[in-house]
């Protein structure tokens, strides 16, 4: 098969940044009244909505990359496709935008943790964009965005005070759990299997770093999986009062769970 022409990564990074900047401005006008109790809540709704757009685009796009080029999974290091390169570049644009959005408008501990995470993602994905290597690994990493679609919907429902007993919340919770297992735990397991089978093709430092890193991330995801199950499927009965301390605690737990999961991307 002929080598595909290498696309301009920086142009797609810029395109991604501008696209999500426009989304940010448009969604700022769409914040529902139930999410405007405080400026922080309104910002969180808008930021989460932008993240949902990113998850919808990149999650489905990452699946398409493997549908379009199945052999991409055979060599996550060297095989290159234009669509995959554009996807990773476009996603880098989003992470740069989100980093700046948090740095300018939401300087809190959870944001600083995510800014560190975004710096790592921008660096790793940036290497793939610049070198056109490890593109397959970056695309597989974006599989988690399929689960993030339902994670972000979950957070938007919580921010607008939707009861966990409502059918739409329960349905999203089930989809969130199901996609978590498939697109986080199963994908990480597949990546671990791949790196073990191809250890002879990797240098010892890369193999060690990859193996240990995947093991840690898998453990973190399992812990977070059970945390979501406890938060969303708790049998505790409570009054649905938006002004109550319990409601604020739910929003805090939701923010922490979402931040923890986003940091696994």
């Amino acid at each position: 098969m002929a080598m595909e022409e290498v696309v301009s990564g920086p142009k797609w990074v810029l395109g991604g940044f501008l696209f999500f900047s426009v989304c940010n401005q448009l969604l700022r006008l769409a914040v529902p009244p139930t999410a405007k109790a405080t400026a922080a809540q309104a910002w969180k709704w808008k930021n989460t909505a932008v993240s949902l757009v990113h998850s919808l685009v990149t999650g489905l796009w990452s699946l398409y990359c493997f549908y379009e080029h199945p052999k991409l999974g055979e060599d996550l290091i060297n095989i290159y496709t234009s669509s995959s390169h554009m996807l990773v570049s476009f996603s880098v644009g989003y992470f740069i935008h989100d980093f700046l959005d948090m740095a300018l408008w939401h300087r809190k501990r959870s944001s600083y943790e995510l800014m560190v995470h975004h710096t790592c993602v921008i660096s790793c994905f940036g290497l793939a964009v610049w070198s056109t290597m490890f593109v397959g690994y970056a695309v597989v990493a974006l599989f988690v965005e399929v689960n993030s679609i339902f994670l972000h919907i979950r957070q938007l429902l919580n921010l607008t005070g939707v009861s966990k007993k409502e059918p739409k919340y329960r349905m999203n919770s089930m989809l969130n759990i199901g996609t978590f297992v498939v697109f986080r735990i199963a994908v990480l397991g597949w990546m671990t299997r791949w790196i073990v089978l191809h250890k002879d093709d990797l240098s010892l430092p890369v193999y060690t770093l990859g193996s240990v890193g995947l093991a840690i991330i898998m453990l973190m995801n399992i812990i977070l999986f059970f945390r979501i199950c406890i938060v969303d499927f708790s049998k505790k009965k409570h009054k649905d009062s938006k002004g109550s301390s319990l409601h604020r605690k739910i929003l805090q737990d939701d923010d922490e769970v979402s931040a923890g999961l986003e940091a696994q991307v």
Side-chain angles (χ1 to χ4, degrees):
M1 184 177 63
M3 178 67 178
E4 291 194 37
E5 182 180 353
V6 177
V7 299
S8 175
K11 287 183 179 179
W12 278 88
V13 172
L14 178 60
F17 177 82
L18 294 176
F19 175 81
F20 288 106
S21 295
V22 171
C23 286
N24 186 299
Q25 295 304 314
L26 293 176
L27 289 168
R28 187 191 302 273
L29 304 175
V31 179
T34 50
K36 290 182 177 179
T38 65
Q41 185 185 19
W43 178 90
K44 189 63 180 177
W45 188 96
K46 181 263 301 176
N47 181 263
T48 303
V50 173
S51 296
L52 175 58
V53 174
H54 172 257
S55 295
L56 283 166
V57 174
T58 58
L60 297 178
W61 192 349
S62 65
L63 296 177
Y64 173 75
C65 287
F66 274 78
Y67 171 79
E68 175 191 41
H69 198 102
K71 289 190 176 181
L72 188 63
E74 296 178 7
D75 187 348
L76 300 179
I77 299 175
N78 298 303
I79 292 183
Y80 171 91
T81 69
S82 298
S83 181
S84 298
H85 195 198
M86 288 186 288
L87 166 60
V88 177
S89 303
F90 184 77
S91 192
V92 169
Y94 160 75
F95 284 110
I96 293 174
H97 164 268
D98 198 47
F99 179 98
L100 294 175
D101 192 33
M102 288 186 289
L104 292 173
W105 305 108
H106 199 254
R107 298 179 184 177
K108 295 187 177 181
R109 191 186 69 174
S110 59
S111 293
Y112 289 133
E113 292 171 357
L114 282 177
M115 286 164 66
V116 172
H117 158 262
H118 283 13
T119 300
C120 294
V121 172
I122 292 168
S123 299
C124 294
F125 279 19
L127 174 62
V129 170
W130 175 74
S131 68
T132 69
M133 296 182 67
F134 305 101
V135 173
Y137 256 114
V139 173
V140 171
L142 287 169
F143 277 9
V144 302
E145 293 296 342
V146 176
N147 168 246
S148 294
I149 293 171
F150 304 102
L151 176 69
H152 294 318
I153 291 174
R154 171 187 181 275
Q155 190 169 24
L156 290 174
L157 292 173
N158 273 308
L159 285 168
T160 51
V162 174
S163 171
K164 288 180 168 57
K165 296 179 181 179
E166 288 196 27
K168 60 183 177 182
Y169 191 100
R170 304 301 291 177
M171 175 61 72
N172 185 75
S173 293
M174 297 303 296
L175 291 171
N176 188 27
I177 292 298
T179 54
F180 190 107
V181 173
V182 175
F183 290 101
R184 287 186 185 272
I185 296 177
V187 166
L188 286 170
W190 182 84
M191 292 181 71
T192 301
R193 175 180 178 274
W194 189 93
I195 201 170
V196 170
L197 292 177
H198 294 81
K199 63 180 181 180
D200 293 335
D201 301 326
L202 305 171
S203 64
L204 181 60
V206 171
Y207 174 72
T208 302
L209 180 62
S211 300
V212 173
L214 284 170
I216 293 173
I217 292 173
M218 176 67 85
L219 178 60
M220 291 175 66
N221 271 277
I222 290 173
I223 293 172
L224 287 166
F225 174 78
F226 284 108
R227 184 174 180 181
I228 284 180
C229 289
I230 292 171
V231 171
D232 278 2
F233 298 98
S234 172
K235 296 295 183 181
K236 278 186 177 181
K237 294 183 179 180
H238 58 273
K239 295 180 181 180
D240 290 328
S241 173
K242 293 183 183 179
S244 68
S245 59
L246 178 58
H247 179 74
R248 291 193 296 271
K249 181 63 168 64
I250 288 172
L251 292 180
Q252 181 181 355
D253 287 345
D254 177 73
D255 185 65
E256 291 175 357
V257 169
S258 299
L261 285 170
E262 187 175 348
Q264 306 308 311
V265 175

